[in-house]
Amino acid sequence: MKNPVRILHLEDSPRDAALVADLLETEGLACVIRRVADREAFAAALAAEAPDVILCDYNLPDYDGLAAVKLARERLPLTPVIVISGSIAADKAVECLREGATDYLLKQRLDRLPSAIRQAVAGAMAHRDRLHAEAELRASEARLRAIINNGSECVKLVAPDGLILDMNPAGLRMIEADTLAEVQNRSVYPLIAMEHRAAFRALHHQVLRGESGELQFDVIGLKGTRRSLETHAAPLRDSAGAVTAVLGLTRDITERKRAETQIREQSEILEFAREAIMITGLDHRAIFWNRGAERLYGWTAAEALGRTARDLFEPGVLARMIVARNYLLRHGEWAGEITQHDKAGQAVFAEVRAYLVRDAAGQPRAFLYLATDTTENRKLKEQVQHAQRMENLGLLAAGIAHDFNNALAPIIMGGPLLRPHMGNAASQRILDTMEKSAARSAALVRQLLSFARGASGQNQLLQLRHVLKEVIELGEATFPKSIRLKSHLPSELRLVQGNPTQFHQIFLNLCVNARDAMPSGGVLTVTAANVTLDA
């Protein structure tokens, strides 16, 4: 023993008390002895402190050992009491032991006292440790039971044959039982939805083999309510290691399954939206990419998910998206038009609306982008603007043509007037050249006027050979000299019903496209033929 043994010695004889002290010292038992001689002093000592062991003389004036044992057990029930007597009857000794004495010795044979004290102190310490451990165990069990009874998850024990042994209140609520008695020692299988019973039974047998497992299944409560549950099952073993029951920890996932179904349905709806819908984390990493986004940008969902804008778009677009992101974090919404390039490198024009998505606590969680393809609208707008420019150019051409026609009129009329006064052949050739040039200029003026009329005019019977000749003459007059025009036009083309100006524009556009396709020059051949189309 590390510390001295504290001994309370009830003894009225100083000589006997000294003998005990000498014996203990001789035996090497370190101790501190406090001697008391009567009942009052003994009771006061018991109230003052708890000794490690009590030595009690059985025969005392006006007091006896049996009463002392009773008082000691009443005041200090965990402190061992050893009765010492000069003479004690067997029945009295037995009665002392029955009242709680640890041992008794005769004064004539005190040689066993040191070992008796050591054993009594060791036994008391072991008893205190056992009581402390038992108290801790009871407290731990109480805490565990409180946790189990007040938890939101079901905790249940199921016997190997499937009978319910125990279940906490949360589990009882899941199966709509008011008390444990309603389901205790009843089979768990009738509570499991029919389509999930085989899987539940397989998990049960797996755990009985000593393997833990998990399962999602539905239960039908005692009142008919269906719930979706998720359980983790583990084997419960005895001291020999044999599996005696299945311990199940189960949570109700009905709302989660309902939310997952709702999200899945919403996602399916979003998949069919014409708009490109994208959701990214705060780091711009894509976490949702619908089919509209696939159509707009060319990246499939498998290619885009998990990648950032830096991976998908060019630096200029990334810079604008960073600006939009910062604006979103401050204001929650952003809208604008962004020009991007798709997976194939083609320019894509999109009108983008972006929103900041927050969690239940109001903290930023993600970015939602809705992009509408405006590429075709932009092209149509450019075509309209081009048509407006062409219309303005036509008005300008009409004005120029009229002025040019006025300038040509004196030349055209002057040729015939001058011819009688030009007798020599050289002058006549000059007049021929002048009249031909004026005629070609007049034809060019007619082409400008035809162009200026635009889409005006009514449908009529047309000889397309004349329209084609006008287009060829206009091309010869305006195309670069590096392009030579040739024509193969039959003498008789069938008449068609149509707008001459529109036909003129169609043929002229074809020739202009051909001109643009020959930047280094070449031969542009115009042909026409009568064709009869079958069914």
Side-chain angles (χ1 to χ4, degrees), residues 5 7-10 24 29 42 52-58 65 68-69 72-73 79-85 96-97 100-106 110 112-121:
V5 178
I7 299 175
L8 176 61
H9 191 182
L10 176 60
L24 297 180
L29 181 64
F42 184 60
D52 295 320
V53 64
I54 298 173
L55 302 180
C56 177
D57 189 5
Y58 186 79
V69 170
R73 300 306 296 170
T79 301
V81 179
I82 299 176
V83 177
I84 301 175
S85 177
C96 287
L97 294 175
T102 305
D103 203 350
Y104 73 92
L105 292 89
L106 295 175
L110 288 179
R112 196 170 63 84
L113 180 61
S115 63
I117 291 175
R118 290 189 179 95
Q119 290 176 2
V121 172

Side-chain angles (χ1 to χ4, degrees), residues 32-98:
V32 176
I33 301 175
R34 178 181 178 180
R35 185 179 75 87
V36 294
D38 53 34
R39 183 184 187 284
E40 289 74 15
F42 184 60
L46 293 177
E49 63 176 337
D52 295 320
V53 64
I54 298 173
L55 302 180
C56 177
D57 189 5
Y58 186 79
N59 295 310
L60 295 168
D62 301 325
Y63 202 37
D64 61 48
L66 183 60
V69 170
K70 291 180 179 180
L71 182 62
R73 300 306 296 170
E74 177 185 336
R75 300 285 180 86
L76 300 173
L78 298 181
T79 301
V81 179
I82 299 176
V83 177
I84 301 175
S85 177
S87 62
I88 184 172
D91 59 335
K92 295 296 182 183
V94 171
E95 189 174 1
C96 287
L97 294 175
R98 189 165 51 244

Side-chain angles (χ1 to χ4, degrees), residues 35-250:
R35 185 179 75 87
V36 294
D38 53 34
R39 183 184 187 284
E40 289 74 15
F42 184 60
L46 293 177
E49 63 176 337
D52 295 320
V53 64
I54 298 173
L55 302 180
C56 177
D57 189 5
Y58 186 79
N59 295 310
L60 295 168
D62 301 325
Y63 202 37
D64 61 48
L66 183 60
V69 170
K70 291 180 179 180
L71 182 62
R73 300 306 296 170
E74 177 185 336
R75 300 285 180 86
L76 300 173
L78 298 181
T79 301
V81 179
I82 299 176
V83 177
I84 301 175
S85 177
S87 62
I88 184 172
D91 59 335
K92 295 296 182 183
V94 171
E95 189 174 1
C96 287
L97 294 175
R98 189 165 51 244
E99 291 296 335
T102 305
D103 203 350
Y104 73 92
L105 292 89
L106 295 175
K107 289 183 178 181
Q108 296 84 352
R109 298 189 60 182
L110 288 179
D111 54 325
R112 196 170 63 84
L113 180 61
S115 63
I117 291 175
R118 290 189 179 95
Q119 290 176 2
V121 172
M125 291 180 62
H127 183 59
R128 289 191 189 96
D129 291 343
R130 184 171 62 255
L131 291 178
H132 180 72
E134 290 174 354
E136 286 292 324
L137 180 60
R138 286 193 299 271
S140 177
E141 289 177 347
R143 288 194 297 269
L144 181 59
R145 176 58 63 178
I147 292 173
I148 291 175
N149 287 341
N150 294 285
S152 60
E153 292 189 346
C154 165
V155 181
K156 64 181 180 295
L157 287 178
V158 180
D161 57 1
L163 298 183
I164 298 173
L165 300 177
D166 198 2
M167 184 178 291
N168 69 338
L172 295 176
R173 288 192 295 270
M174 290 181 190
I175 60 173
E176 299 180 306
D178 296 324
T179 63
L180 178 61
E182 292 183 64
V183 293
Q184 195 170 34
N185 295 321
R186 291 176 56 183
S187 175
V188 70
Y189 293 111
L191 298 170
I192 311 302
M194 182 65 69
E195 63 271 24
H196 296 151
R197 286 184 190 175
F200 188 90
R201 192 182 299 274
L203 174 65
H204 186 77
H205 290 303
Q206 173 185 328
V207 176
L208 292 178
R209 293 194 300 271
E211 304 173 12
S212 298
E214 295 181 349
L215 180 68
Q216 289 187 8
F217 61 97
D218 287 1
V219 296
I220 309 297
L222 299 181
K223 299 176 183 178
T225 303
R226 187 182 184 108
R227 284 186 172 87
S228 296
L229 306 181
E230 181 179 61
T231 190
H232 175 81
L236 191 67
R237 303 177 186 272
D238 59 16
S239 58
V243 178
T244 59
V246 174
L247 171 64
L249 302 178
T250 306

Side-chain angles (χ1 to χ4, degrees), residues 86 294 297 364 434 449:
E294 292 182 352
Y297 297 113
M434 183 183 70
L449 288 173

Side-chain angles (χ1 to χ4, degrees), residues 505-519:
Q505 289 177 344
I506 290 171
F507 296 145
L508 182 59
N509 286 338
L510 289 172
C511 291
V512 169
N513 290 340
R515 178 202 65 186
D516 294 341
M518 297 186 291

Side-chain angles (χ1 to χ4, degrees), residues 185-386:
N185 295 321
R186 291 176 56 183
S187 175
V188 70
Y189 293 111
L191 298 170
I192 311 302
M194 182 65 69
E195 63 271 24
H196 296 151
R197 286 184 190 175
F200 188 90
R201 192 182 299 274
L203 174 65
H204 186 77
H205 290 303
Q206 173 185 328
V207 176
L208 292 178
R209 293 194 300 271
E211 304 173 12
S212 298
E214 295 181 349
L215 180 68
Q216 289 187 8
F217 61 97
D218 287 1
V219 296
I220 309 297
L222 299 181
K223 299 176 183 178
T225 303
R226 187 182 184 108
R227 284 186 172 87
S228 296
L229 306 181
E230 181 179 61
T231 190
H232 175 81
L236 191 67
R237 303 177 186 272
D238 59 16
S239 58
V243 178
T244 59
V246 174
L247 171 64
L249 302 178
T250 306
R251 64 173 60 90
D252 189 340
I253 59 171
T254 305
E255 291 302 321
R256 192 186 81 187
K257 296 281 285 187
R258 186 178 293 116
E260 289 175 352
T261 301
Q262 184 177 4
I263 291 173
R264 184 166 57 251
E265 292 173 350
Q266 291 174 347
S267 297
E268 291 174 355
I269 294 173
L270 295 178
E271 284 294 339
F272 291 100
R274 293 298 303 172
E275 287 185 316
I277 302 176
M278 299 149 288
I279 301 176
T280 71
L282 298 182
D283 58 354
H284 276 302
R285 198 172 299 279
I287 57 179
F288 180 79
W289 189 273
N290 77 335
R291 295 177 187 173
E294 292 182 352
R295 289 190 295 269
L296 181 60
Y297 297 113
W299 304 95
T300 66
E303 294 170 328
L305 293 180
R307 302 178 68 181
T308 65
R310 187 185 304 276
D311 302 324
L312 301 175
F313 302 116
E314 58 274 16
V317 174
L318 180 61
R320 287 205 66 187
M321 294 186 75
I322 291 175
V323 172
R325 174 181 182 268
N326 295 333
Y327 187 90
L328 274 173
L329 290 173
R330 292 194 304 270
H331 303 285
E333 293 185 17
W334 178 87
E337 189 173 55
I338 295 181
T339 304
Q340 299 164 301
H341 288 82
D342 61 14
K343 181 180 178 181
Q346 299 295 320
V348 174
F349 301 96
E351 186 176 308
V352 179
R353 300 185 305 282
Y355 304 91
L356 179 64
V357 181
R358 299 181 182 274
D359 59 19
Q363 296 300 313
R365 179 182 178 185
F367 298 113
L368 169 65
Y369 297 94
L370 306 176
T372 303
D373 188 358
T374 60
T375 305
E376 291 300 322
N377 291 341
R378 178 178 282 263
K379 290 180 179 178
L380 290 175
K381 184 177 179 181
E382 290 177 352
Q383 291 175 359
V384 171
Q385 291 174 346
H386 177 70

